Amino acid sequence: VLQNLSQTPVLRELLKEAKMPGTTVKIESPELSMLCCFPFKQEPQLIKLDQPCPLTLAMHQFLTEMQETKKGVVTPKELFAQVCKKAIRFKGYQQQDSHELLRYLLDGMRAEE
């Protein structure tokens, strides 16, 4: 899940901008307006960002390390700690479904907005 998220350019760019409080982010999706089921043009969304919270900062830090590291191994220790604060079910290091991690991670970041 984390490797896939690290290869999502839009997410990386948004998280990079989210580090700067007071930034207004313009989100537009040109792909949607080209689909036959969306004959109307999608208006871009403007979102004013507040100070980033711990989970969002940990996600940004992790994705940055994934992109820039020369070590070869990156451990998401801080990101995992922040996820565990939002979803204590992950604290016990027991096996969990990856889609549940993805859901808790994205929901947790969205709740921080």
Side-chain angles (χ1 to χ4, degrees):
V1 166
L2 295 177
Q3 287 175 334
N4 287 330
L5 289 176
S6 75
Q7 297 303 311
T8 307
V10 173
L11 178 63
R12 286 195 322 260
E13 288 302 313
L14 283 174
L15 288 174
K16 189 185 302 179
E17 292 180 22
K19 277 196 68 169
M20 298 173 274
T23 301
T24 300
V25 178
K26 181 178 178 181
I27 300 174
E28 53 188 327
S29 180
E31 300 85 28
L32 287 179
S33 61
M34 294 181 186
L35 297 175
C36 64
C37 56
F38 290 105
F40 52 90
K41 181 170 174 17
Q42 292 283 328
E43 292 297 320
Q45 294 182 357
L46 296 176
I47 300 171
K48 185 168 172 45
L49 302 173
D50 292 327
Q51 179 69 32
C53 295
L55 180 59
T56 303
L57 286 173
M59 184 65 175
H60 175 267
Q61 178 186 352
F62 174 74
L63 293 180
T64 301
E65 285 180 31
M66 286 282 289
Q67 294 297 310
E68 297 176 356
T69 189
K70 304 279 188 225
K71 298 186 289 189
V73 176
V74 176
T75 54
K77 205 178 283 189
E78 178 60 27
L79 179 58
F80 184 67
Q82 293 301 323
V83 168
C84 288
K85 288 180 183 178
K86 302 279 184 191
I88 57 174
R89 71 181 326 169
F90 292 102
K91 260 189 181 169
Y93 293 99
Q94 296 182 1
Q95 185 172 343
Q96 302 287 337
D97 291 332
S98 60
H99 73 276
E100 289 184 22
L101 172 67
L102 177 61
R103 191 181 97 217
Y104 281 108
L105 179 61
L106 296 179
D107 284 349
M109 288 189 331
R110 184 179 57 182
E112 288 184 340
E113 289 179 354

Short mmCIF file of all heavy atoms in Angstrom, two decimals, residues 1 5 10-12 27 39 42 48 80 96 100 111:
data_model
loop_
_atom_site.label_atom_id
_atom_site.label_comp_id
_atom_site.label_asym_id
_atom_site.label_seq_id
_atom_site.Cartn_x
_atom_site.Cartn_y
_atom_site.Cartn_z
N VAL A 1 0.83 -1.19 0.00
CA VAL A 1 0.00 0.00 0.00
C VAL A 1 0.88 1.25 0.00
O VAL A 1 0.66 2.17 -0.78
CB VAL A 1 -0.95 0.00 1.22
CG1 VAL A 1 -1.58 1.36 1.45
CG2 VAL A 1 -2.03 -1.04 1.07
N LEU A 5 1.25 4.22 -2.80
CA LEU A 5 1.02 5.63 -2.49
C LEU A 5 2.25 6.48 -2.82
O LEU A 5 2.11 7.62 -3.25
CB LEU A 5 0.63 5.79 -1.02
CG LEU A 5 -0.75 5.28 -0.64
CD1 LEU A 5 -0.95 5.41 0.86
CD2 LEU A 5 -1.86 5.99 -1.40
N VAL A 10 0.22 12.95 -7.64
CA VAL A 10 -0.72 13.96 -7.13
C VAL A 10 -0.68 13.99 -5.60
O VAL A 10 -0.65 15.06 -5.00
CB VAL A 10 -2.16 13.68 -7.63
CG1 VAL A 10 -3.16 14.60 -6.98
CG2 VAL A 10 -2.22 13.81 -9.14
N LEU A 11 -0.65 12.85 -4.97
CA LEU A 11 -0.59 12.78 -3.51
C LEU A 11 0.71 13.39 -3.00
O LEU A 11 0.70 14.18 -2.06
CB LEU A 11 -0.72 11.33 -3.03
CG LEU A 11 -0.62 11.12 -1.52
CD1 LEU A 11 -1.75 11.83 -0.79
CD2 LEU A 11 -0.62 9.64 -1.20
N ARG A 12 1.82 13.06 -3.63
CA ARG A 12 3.11 13.61 -3.21
C ARG A 12 3.11 15.13 -3.31
O ARG A 12 3.58 15.83 -2.42
CB ARG A 12 4.25 13.02 -4.03
CG ARG A 12 4.58 11.59 -3.68
CD ARG A 12 5.92 11.15 -4.25
NE ARG A 12 6.22 11.65 -5.57
CZ ARG A 12 6.08 10.96 -6.71
NH1 ARG A 12 5.63 9.72 -6.68
NH2 ARG A 12 6.41 11.48 -7.87
N ILE A 27 -7.22 21.86 -7.10
CA ILE A 27 -7.32 20.48 -7.53
C ILE A 27 -8.25 20.42 -8.73
O ILE A 27 -9.42 20.80 -8.64
CB ILE A 27 -7.86 19.57 -6.40
CG1 ILE A 27 -6.93 19.63 -5.19
CG2 ILE A 27 -8.03 18.14 -6.90
CD1 ILE A 27 -7.44 18.90 -4.00
N PRO A 39 -20.27 15.04 -19.55
CA PRO A 39 -20.23 15.96 -20.68
C PRO A 39 -19.92 17.41 -20.27
O PRO A 39 -19.61 18.23 -21.10
CB PRO A 39 -21.63 15.86 -21.28
CG PRO A 39 -22.49 15.45 -20.12
CD PRO A 39 -21.62 14.60 -19.25
N GLN A 42 -15.51 19.92 -15.46
CA GLN A 42 -15.35 19.92 -14.01
C GLN A 42 -14.62 21.19 -13.58
O GLN A 42 -13.56 21.51 -14.11
CB GLN A 42 -14.52 18.70 -13.57
CG GLN A 42 -15.21 17.39 -13.77
CD GLN A 42 -16.24 17.16 -12.68
OE1 GLN A 42 -16.08 17.59 -11.55
NE2 GLN A 42 -17.31 16.49 -13.03
N LYS A 48 -8.11 25.73 1.01
CA LYS A 48 -7.13 26.45 1.83
C LYS A 48 -6.67 25.50 2.95
O LYS A 48 -7.48 24.96 3.69
CB LYS A 48 -7.74 27.71 2.44
CG LYS A 48 -6.73 28.54 3.19
CD LYS A 48 -7.33 29.90 3.50
CE LYS A 48 -6.51 30.76 4.40
NZ LYS A 48 -5.14 30.89 4.20
N PHE A 80 3.65 4.72 11.07
CA PHE A 80 2.90 3.64 11.72
C PHE A 80 2.43 4.06 13.11
O PHE A 80 1.31 3.77 13.52
CB PHE A 80 3.75 2.37 11.80
CG PHE A 80 3.02 1.20 12.36
CD1 PHE A 80 1.97 0.62 11.67
CD2 PHE A 80 3.37 0.67 13.59
CE1 PHE A 80 1.28 -0.48 12.19
CE2 PHE A 80 2.69 -0.41 14.13
CZ PHE A 80 1.64 -0.98 13.43
N GLN A 96 -3.13 -7.58 9.53
CA GLN A 96 -4.27 -6.76 9.13
C GLN A 96 -4.35 -6.75 7.61
O GLN A 96 -3.36 -6.97 6.93
CB GLN A 96 -4.12 -5.32 9.63
CG GLN A 96 -3.97 -5.17 11.13
CD GLN A 96 -5.27 -5.42 11.87
OE1 GLN A 96 -6.35 -5.30 11.31
NE2 GLN A 96 -5.15 -5.78 13.14
N GLU A 100 -7.53 -2.16 4.74
CA GLU A 100 -7.94 -1.49 5.98
C GLU A 100 -6.91 -0.44 6.38
O GLU A 100 -7.26 0.65 6.84
CB GLU A 100 -8.14 -2.51 7.10
CG GLU A 100 -9.37 -3.36 6.90
CD GLU A 100 -9.62 -4.31 8.06
OE1 GLU A 100 -9.12 -4.05 9.18
OE2 GLU A 100 -10.32 -5.30 7.84
N ALA A 111 -9.46 13.51 8.11
CA ALA A 111 -10.02 14.03 9.36
C ALA A 111 -9.15 15.15 9.93
O ALA A 111 -9.65 16.01 10.66
CB ALA A 111 -10.15 12.90 10.38
#
